[in-house]
Amino acid sequence: MSLRKSMVNRGLLILTCFFSFVIQLCLASKTRHFKWEVEYMYWSPDCMEGVVMGINGQFPGPTIRAVAGDTIVVELTNRLHTEGVVIHWHGIRQFGTPWADGTASISQCAINPGETFIYRYKVDKAGTYFYHGHYGMQRSAGLYGSLVVEVGEGQKEPFHYDGEFNLLLSDWWHKGSQEQEVALSSKPFRWIGEPQTLLINGRGQYNCSLAAHVTNSSSPQCQFRGNEQCSPQILHVQPHKTYRLRVSSTTALASLNLQIGNHKMVMVEADGNYIQPVAVDDLDIYSGESYSVLIHTDQDPSKNYWISVSVRGREPKTPQGLTILNYQTTSASKLPTSTPPVSPLWNDYNHSKSFSNKILALMGSPKPPTTYNRRIILLNTQNTINGFTKWAINNISLTLPPTPYLGAIKHRLSNAFDQKSPPENFPNDYDVMKPPTNTNSTYGNGVYMLEFRTTVDVILQNANALATGVSEIHPWHLHGHDFWVLGYGEGKFREKDAKRFNLKNPPLRNTAVIFPFGWTALRFVADNPGVWAFHCHIEPHLHMGMGVVFAEGVHLVKDVPNHALACGLTGKMLMSNYSHH
Ligand SMILES: *[C@@H]1O[C@H](CO)[C@@H](O)[C@H](O)[C@H]1NC(C)=O
Ligand SMILES: *[C@@H]1O[C@H](CO)[C@@H](O)[C@H](O)[C@H]1NC(C)=O
Ligand SMILES: *[C@@H]1O[C@H](CO)[C@@H](O)[C@H](O)[C@H]1NC(C)=O
Ligand SMILES: *[C@@H]1O[C@H](CO)[C@@H](O)[C@H](O)[C@H]1NC(C)=O
Ligand SMILES: *[C@@H]1O[C@H](CO)[C@@H](O)[C@H](O)[C@H]1NC(C)=O
Ligand SMILES: *[C@@H]1O[C@H](CO)[C@@H](O)[C@H](O)[C@H]1NC(C)=O
Ligand SMILES: [Cu+2]
């Protein structure tokens, strides 16, 4: 009923937009309409054929380009035969539309095979974003794409550029995502291993490295005509111009480092927020993050240059991902004569920390409140539960309930999840530098209920994992908000560390990393009515329980589509309401 009404209302505006879309002008229209079908299909992302989760026959999914203030409407049809699906719009805060956040069991019921769900939300802030599956490990299966929001009409970016490119980075396994889920959930635990290939815009080269052409490597040298699914997308540039590269990482596991031979990069945007311009030779990017960098094409225009992506933070067993920066004054098929840039050592954490500390808010950006109302300390540990290997936060490993939280909280269905609030801290005598003495933890699905419009500090505390001397990187992503990154530190967080918080120009972001054996302090204002996931963006870690759930102002949430509630206890409620009227 309401669906049909809104479709009639949209009528003419959408048409205008469809036609003008081609020329990137959509002046009159503010609604951008997409019809998507998600399906498994054969694809060769790295020259080896496998099965990917594609959208409308494409991998990665179509890029959405919009202007700040626009409304995006995606009619998503599930053409997978035996599993549900949802899509999360990573970095879009979903003010007023928390049901469109695309998190299964949190904001909505997974969309059943054959069904269509309509996502409708506003993109309120210019920036570089992406979207991806948020059910099981569907992101690993290849369900992702880019979402670029340009500044609104009459607005200007605080920097100039002549052209732009999109670099969506991901990692790829030859073992399918469903087998990976089984491996991670097995007793004894089976690790999925490192990815076979790093992909740039969904393209990589397994067993036929481009670099083999210029090194003495014995691996075969692939020749590309350019139309292969795995041939690298070459960036064609003019000399003496400035280009914006929009780089985002939707990797399942890998932390990455990006370099461009001979070219410095000036970072200007992080996660949809402007930052103080800072020149770097190489850029660290963790899963869930995005950056814009400017490059100036001031190098020898008779040459081409490598763009290389390599693994950080884990001993790399995956070759560099490569593509080429081509000065159009020379042939695009000419490979750079030098070897690709060598990235910093995978375990040079000092390099990574110094990089993270260079990222500061652009002058004039919103500043954090100077005090907080509530501080939640979240200890990240690896544990066992009945012999299964898990990750836990304050000793609780998250297992999502069958009834989505948003509907459950709004309709006060107290049987839908643990009503007890999860712990705000961990035992004082817990030694974060040593493996747990008792490795047991428990499953849970409780919610941190936040008072609406209060300021919340989160201290993410890293710790030793199950093996002695091992502590991993975890990039934490918050849905529904940006947070200020107040600081990073070593060892166990102490009260005195709070005196060193950066309250002057902390960057606003939606993803921040905790370094091995370290802590990271975040601050955000709970001003967005809804239920929001906060989790490690490494997909196997989330699958193993590494996340928590925040809720605020849910009584203010209106117009949740019934389709978002049609499962679990909210589904039963809908049926009983229907039979009573
Ligand atoms: C890699 O390429 C070599 C040479 O073409 C081939 O013999 C080998 O089987 C390939 N390996 C894989 C895993 O495809
Ligand atoms: C490749 O091999 C040649 C001859 O063996 C040697 O001179 C050259 O330095 C090698 N190049 C690289 C990049 O290893
Ligand atoms: C990293 O930095 C710390 C603190 O500045 C220093 O003590 C340590 O030696 C550095 N490590 C390496 C490998 O450079
Ligand atoms: C841990 O859990 C197992 C059951 O999986 C139990 O046998 C064992 O006693 C527990 N260990 C401790 C120290 O509680
Ligand atoms: C975590 O929970 C388990 C199971 O309830 C318990 O045995 C263990 O002592 C707890 N560990 C910590 C650090 O609280
Ligand atoms: C269904 O009925 C319950 C109880 O009467 C009410 O609280 C709830 O708002 C109704 N839900 C919908 C979606 O109409
Ligand atoms: Cu993690």
Side-chain angles (χ1 to χ4, degrees):
M1 180 62 189
S2 68
L3 187 123
R4 182 172 300 168
K5 202 173 106 204
S6 68
M7 282 177 77
V8 171
N9 287 348
R10 284 200 306 262
L12 210 132
L13 284 180
I14 295 157
L15 273 182
T16 331
C17 196
F18 264 151
F19 289 119
S20 51
F21 200 53
V22 185
I23 50 165
Q24 290 291 323
L25 268 171
C26 203
L27 297 177
S29 174
K30 296 285 190 222
T31 299
R32 293 173 195 267
H33 199 270
F34 303 89
K35 269 190 170 166
W36 284 2
E37 301 200 344
V38 176
E39 65 198 331
Y40 280 114
M41 56 189 196
Y42 285 114
W43 203 265
S44 305
D46 63 352
C47 308
M48 298 267 291
E49 192 178 70
V51 167
V52 300
M53 207 173 265
I55 298 173
N56 291 358
Q58 297 178 41
F59 169 78
T63 295
I64 294 183
R65 290 197 80 97
V67 173
D70 284 356
T71 296
I72 305 288
V73 180
V74 177
E75 280 184 46
L76 188 77
T77 301
N78 180 357
R79 295 278 178 227
L80 309 170
H81 293 283
T82 57
E83 58 189 300
V85 74
V86 292
I87 290 186
H88 167 58
W89 316 94
H90 186 112
I92 308 300
R93 291 170 296 173
Q94 303 289 359
F95 278 116
T97 52
W99 54 267
D101 193 42
T103 43
S105 281
I106 300 173
S107 63
Q108 71 171 104
C109 302
I111 308 160
N112 287 321
E115 290 184 351
T116 300
F117 182 84
I118 302 178
Y119 290 100
R120 166 180 271 270
Y121 57 90
K122 217 169 172 162
V123 287
D124 61 334
K125 190 154 59 75
T128 304
Y129 307 103
F130 50 101
Y131 61 83
H132 60 79
H134 215 297
Y135 183 42
M137 288 178 53
Q138 293 182 341
R139 183 157 52 91
S140 289
L143 186 52
Y144 45 73
S146 297
L147 200 176
V148 174
V149 182
E150 288 162 16
V151 290
E153 226 183 307
Q155 305 284 306
K156 266 194 171 151
E157 304 274 13
F159 43 83
H160 160 83
Y161 54 99
D162 303 299
E164 67 170 79
F165 296 96
N166 214 22
L167 298 177
L168 179 64
L169 310 179
S170 57
D171 44 7
W172 181 248
W173 279 256
H174 292 161
K175 187 181 287 177
S177 63
Q178 290 179 339
E179 189 181 344
Q180 293 183 36
E181 289 178 15
V182 174
L184 297 167
S185 321
S186 289
K187 181 162 84 174
F189 176 72
R190 296 200 206 174
W191 177 234
I192 58 168
E194 299 301 312
Q196 272 65 58
T197 309
L198 300 180
L199 307 180
I200 302 174
N201 292 337
R203 292 152 180 268
Q205 297 81 37
Y206 179 74
N207 203 15
C208 62
S209 164
L210 292 182
H213 295 261
V214 289
T215 59
N216 289 348
S217 154
S218 57
S219 65
Q221 308 189 356
C222 296
Q223 298 294 336
F224 294 108
R225 293 188 308 275
N227 57 354
E228 296 86 354
Q229 287 170 347
C230 63
S231 67
Q233 240 171 37
I234 293 172
L235 277 58
H236 303 287
V237 296
Q238 301 279 344
H240 302 294
K241 300 273 188 218
T242 302
Y243 291 91
R244 176 182 194 168
L245 306 188
R246 297 178 181 269
V247 189
S248 38
S249 173
T250 182
T251 57
L253 174 68
S255 303
L256 300 173
N257 184 266
L258 173 82
Q259 286 190 69
I260 304 173
N262 289 45
H263 293 74
K264 267 198 183 298
M265 298 176 273
V266 177
M267 304 170 60
V268 291
E269 180 216 339
D271 298 355
N273 294 290
Y274 296 123
I275 58 175
Q276 263 180 32
V278 51
V280 293
D281 291 312
D282 62 278
L283 172 145
D284 280 347
I285 181 164
Y286 302 95
S287 179
E289 294 186 330
S290 61
Y291 289 104
S292 280
V293 299
L294 302 179
I295 60 166
H296 195 59
T297 48
D298 55 3
Q299 295 299 302
D300 182 348
S302 69
K303 288 188 173 155
N304 290 325
Y305 301 88
W306 290 114
I307 296 178
S308 77
V309 176
S310 31
V311 173
R312 290 187 67 56
R314 307 181 67 90
E315 199 173 352
K317 300 195 173 91
T318 313
Q320 279 174 312
L322 293 170
T323 188
I324 288 158
L325 182 73
N326 162 243
Y327 278 63
Q328 282 177 300
T329 35
T330 191
S331 159
S333 60
K334 200 162 87 183
L335 283 170
T337 47
S338 56
T339 52
V342 176
S343 62
L345 277 183
W346 69 272
N347 57 358
D348 183 355
Y349 292 110
N350 282 4
H351 186 88
S352 300
K353 288 170 192 172
S354 118
F355 174 85
S356 291
N357 281 309
K358 279 182 197 157
I359 298 166
L360 299 166
L362 184 67
M363 213 201 293
S365 303
K367 285 192 174 188
T370 52
T371 56
Y372 62 90
N373 302 104
R374 180 171 174 188
R375 179 193 281 166
I376 301 173
I377 301 182
L378 300 176
L379 175 69
N380 292 227
T381 52
Q382 201 178 22
N383 301 82
T384 50
I385 302 180
N386 298 323
F388 294 96
T389 302
K390 296 287 165 187
W391 289 94
I393 304 307
N394 291 347
N395 212 20
I396 296 176
S397 185
L398 181 66
T399 47
L400 292 171
T403 306
Y405 292 102
L406 181 62
I409 297 172
K410 186 171 159 57
H411 297 286
R412 302 173 187 276
L413 304 176
S414 57
N415 295 330
F417 60 91
D418 298 351
Q419 297 296 299
K420 200 168 147 270
S421 187
E424 311 262 313
N425 207 337
F426 60 94
N428 204 27
D429 60 0
Y430 187 89
D431 187 348
V432 300
M433 306 305 279
K434 289 201 182 122
T437 38
N438 171 2
T439 62
N440 286 352
S441 71
T442 45
Y443 295 116
N445 61 19
V447 174
Y448 292 94
M449 300 286 182
L450 309 176
E451 285 292 323
F452 190 51
R453 296 224 164 101
T454 54
T455 301
V456 179
D457 275 14
V458 173
I459 314 291
L460 288 162
Q461 177 68 60
N462 212 338
N464 199 111
L466 285 175
T468 307
V470 174
S471 182
E472 293 187 21
I473 280 178
H474 304 287
W476 277 77
H477 171 63
L478 178 59
H479 292 228
H481 312 76
D482 288 334
F483 48 64
W484 289 274
V485 184
L486 302 184
Y488 302 90
E490 311 280 333
K492 189 178 179 183
F493 176 81
R494 311 265 162 201
E495 190 52 49
K496 66 175 163 54
D497 293 319
K499 297 199 174 70
R500 295 192 292 113
F501 282 170
N502 174 12
L503 299 178
K504 205 180 100 222
N505 56 0
L508 262 175
R509 309 200 62 158
N510 60 53
T511 306
V513 68
I514 39 171
F515 291 107
F517 297 109
W519 55 262
T520 298
L522 314 174
R523 178 168 294 177
F524 68 94
V525 179
D527 59 358
N528 190 3
V531 185
W532 309 107
F534 180 47
H535 62 91
C536 175
H537 211 264
I538 290 179
E539 195 153 63
H541 290 184
L542 175 58
H543 186 74
M544 294 161 73
M546 199 166 209
V548 298
V549 178
F550 293 140
E552 71 223 31
V554 174
H555 59 286
L556 301 169
V557 174
K558 288 195 202 70
D559 304 327
V560 179
N562 281 349
H563 197 172
L565 306 170
C567 63
L569 298 177
T570 43
K572 281 193 184 148
M573 177 197 78
L574 288 177
M575 281 198 294
S576 90
N577 286 18
Y578 181 74
S579 62
H580 288 157
H581 295 296

